[in-house]
């Protein structure tokens, strides 16, 4: 799935790249994300998702909902499907969704799989673990949303931070991949 201005081939590539085996109900078409301003009539037809569930690879889902890292930190969102159905996310404030989490509709009739949508990021790789650790320290001091792995750091594009990392001697790669920043130490993200 892609934004309405995206290409269908990008949607196919993304959906085919999911590494978890999931089952999707055959009678429900793929969905496209877009924020909408709904009329009262549309609000009455809207399916509201209010319950956040942990990942379950055996779940039978109604929709796959690709979301950027920023989208996954918002507890209130409206979506419209390709067929014109309206979906609303209404989760407790402070809820942060992770890739492969599930959302259950208010009436219990629909289950949605959240997937980390590919987005522009910069990935920093270091020649030593110590250099990678130093870079993580400096980025952490700036309260940057950061994905941390044993061999790379990933963050949203920022020319100032990119310059700092390059001066430190890290290799920078600009790419479009799913971005999954760390949750804050107290259960929130920045």
């Amino acid at each position: 799935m892609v934004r309405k201005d995206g290409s269908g081939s990008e949607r196919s590539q993304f959906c085919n790249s999911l590494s978890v085996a999931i089952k999707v109900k055959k009678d429900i078409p793929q969905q496209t994300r877009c924020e909408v301003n709904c009329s009262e009539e549309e609000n009455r037809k809207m399916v509201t998702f209010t319950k956040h569930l942990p990942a379950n690879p055996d779940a039978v889902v109604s929709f796959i909902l690709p979301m950027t890292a920023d989208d996954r930190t918002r507890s209130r969102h409206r979506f419209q499907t390709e067929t014109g159905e309206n979906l609303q996310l209404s989760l407790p404030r402070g809820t942060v969704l992770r890739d492969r989490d599930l959302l259950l509709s208010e009436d219990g009739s629909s289950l949605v799989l959240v997937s980390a949508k590919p987005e522009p990021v910069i990935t920093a790789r270091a020649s030593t673990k110590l250099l990678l650790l130093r870079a993580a320290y400096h980025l952490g001091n700036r309260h940057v949303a950061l994905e941390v792995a044993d061999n790379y750091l990933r963050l949203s594009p920022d020319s100032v931070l990119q310059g700092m990392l390059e001066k430190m001697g890290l290799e920078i790669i600009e790419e479009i991949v799913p971005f999954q920043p760390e949750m804050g130490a107290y259960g929130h993200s920045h």
Side-chain angles (χ1 to χ4, degrees):
M1 283 186 252
V2 295
R3 290 182 190 269
K4 286 200 176 212
D5 60 350
S7 70
S9 63
E10 184 178 335
R11 175 175 68 183
S12 302
Q13 290 171 355
F14 175 70
C15 291
N16 291 337
S17 70
L18 287 175
S19 60
V20 62
I22 58 168
K23 301 169 193 97
V24 178
K25 289 182 182 177
K26 299 292 184 210
D27 59 332
I28 300 175
Q30 293 286 334
Q31 309 304 318
T32 299
R33 178 199 180 284
C34 73
E35 293 182 26
V36 295
N37 295 319
C38 298
S39 67
E40 285 184 37
E41 180 181 328
E42 290 170 324
N43 278 327
R44 281 183 291 222
K45 296 178 187 176
M46 186 171 298
V47 178
T48 302
F49 293 88
T50 57
K51 184 151 181 150
H52 173 216
L53 304 171
N56 177 355
D58 298 322
V60 177
V61 299
S62 304
F63 313 110
I64 298 172
L65 185 60
M67 300 173 83
T68 65
D70 188 49
D71 288 342
R72 294 190 311 271
T73 65
R74 298 181 182 155
S75 55
R76 304 286 189 270
H77 265 313
R78 287 187 179 167
F79 305 91
Q80 188 176 51
T81 68
E82 290 175 344
T83 59
E85 295 175 277
N86 296 302
L87 310 177
Q88 179 173 336
L89 186 61
S90 184
L91 298 169
R93 297 218 183 271
T95 300
V96 177
L97 301 172
R98 302 291 295 169
D99 187 45
R100 299 188 182 104
D101 281 353
L102 299 168
L103 300 173
L104 182 64
S105 63
E106 192 170 43
D107 64 4
S109 66
S110 296
L111 192 63
V112 169
L113 174 71
V114 172
S115 67
K117 181 179 181 175
E119 59 186 291
V121 295
I122 56 174
T123 301
R125 296 187 185 275
S127 56
T128 68
K129 298 286 184 194
L130 180 58
L131 182 55
L132 193 65
L133 185 61
R134 286 182 56 232
Y137 170 81
H138 287 289
L139 292 168
N141 267 348
R142 289 159 177 81
H143 298 270
V144 173
L146 188 65
E147 181 176 334
V148 179
D150 63 350
N151 61 346
Y152 70 84
L153 301 173
R154 184 168 287 150
L155 60 147
S156 294
D158 181 302
S159 60
V160 173
L161 296 176
Q162 181 173 340
M164 177 192 77
L165 294 170
E166 288 170 338
K167 282 183 182 178
M168 291 178 69
L170 283 86
E171 174 191 4
I172 303 299
I173 304 162
E174 294 179 7
E175 48 191 352
I176 299 176
V177 296
F179 180 38
Q180 301 181 73
E182 288 293 312
M183 299 274 292
Y186 299 102
H188 67 279
S189 66
H190 286 276

